[in-house]
Amino acid sequence: MTSYADVPGLVETTEAYGETTLIVDPARLVEACTVLRDDHGFNFLADIAAADYLGWGEQGLAGYIGTAGGRDINDPGSRGLARIPDPKPKRFSVSYHLLRVSDDPARVRVQVWLDDGEPVASVIEIWPAADWFEREAFDMLGIRFEGHANLVRILMPEDWEGHPLRKDYPLGGEPVRFSDED
């Protein structure tokens, strides 16, 4: 296992499912990503994935036990064993999937945790491909990226209210909009 002890703002390192995750203090994200690019050779940002964990770990939510053959969707959620998932540190996670494309390839996930309304710094200066990924996270979940020069919607219409991938987004009741209507 590679050591990432020199990464600024490193809170925790975990290994699960063949992937290394570096949980970083959001205030030091840019520093951490710069070190990973310059000192560790992670020269490719493959994706930025944001998730909303509103209600995670509360009563009524259970996991399931998967097998190598998958899981039976008709089988009760956790094979009769009520299992409450571990609580998350904050409501939102933003995961940066990095690749080292070289003679010594590797992958790592950098993750930050944010509360509702808490911004995180943009990493466009490190990896220009972050432009669209950050805009998508803003559009779908309302996560703000400080320093992003053009943080506007890319999937939803400009006048759309709310962010559809948030767990508290209202379900149903939205009028269907067609392009040929006035």
Side-chain angles (χ1 to χ4, degrees), residues 125-155:
E125 294 298 320
I126 302 166
W127 298 290
D131 179 27
W132 288 87
F133 300 138
E134 290 177 356
R135 288 174 64 186
E136 179 185 26
F138 165 71
D139 195 0
M140 296 287 103
L141 289 158
I143 296 171
R144 294 203 154 282
F145 293 87
E146 290 182 336
H148 192 290
N150 192 24
L151 195 61
V152 296
R153 293 192 180 271
I154 60 171
L155 299 172

Side-chain angles (χ1 to χ4, degrees), residues 1-25 32 36 40 42 107-111 113:
M1 181 172 127
T2 305
S3 173
Y4 296 102
D6 63 331
V7 174
L10 184 64
V11 174
E12 180 183 354
T13 302
T14 60
E15 291 280 339
Y17 309 107
E19 181 178 57
T20 301
T21 301
L22 308 175
I23 300 173
V24 173
D25 176 10
L36 287 166
H40 293 272
F42 288 98
R107 75 174 56 215
V108 71
R109 174 173 58 176
V110 175
Q111 190 173 61
W113 288 91

Side-chain angles (χ1 to χ4, degrees), residues 73-157:
I73 63 170
N74 298 311
D75 198 15
S78 55
R79 301 191 186 271
L81 303 171
R83 181 173 65 88
I84 306 290
D86 294 333
K88 302 297 181 188
K90 294 186 178 183
R91 178 175 175 177
F92 296 101
S93 75
V94 180
S95 298
Y96 300 78
H97 300 269
L98 309 179
L99 301 175
R100 180 171 53 219
V101 183
S102 67
D103 293 337
D104 181 26
R107 75 174 56 215
V108 71
R109 174 173 58 176
V110 175
Q111 190 173 61
V112 295
W113 288 91
L114 307 168
D115 282 322
D116 194 6
E118 183 180 357
V120 65
S122 174
V123 295
I124 290 176
E125 294 298 320
I126 302 166
W127 298 290
D131 179 27
W132 288 87
F133 300 138
E134 290 177 356
R135 288 174 64 186
E136 179 185 26
F138 165 71
D139 195 0
M140 296 287 103
L141 289 158
I143 296 171
R144 294 203 154 282
F145 293 87
E146 290 182 336
H148 192 290
N150 192 24
L151 195 61
V152 296
R153 293 192 180 271
I154 60 171
L155 299 172
M156 304 302 292

Side-chain angles (χ1 to χ4, degrees), residues 163-176:
H163 304 281
L165 291 184
R166 292 173 70 111
K167 298 283 175 90
D168 55 1
Y169 187 77
L171 297 176
E174 296 293 331
V176 178

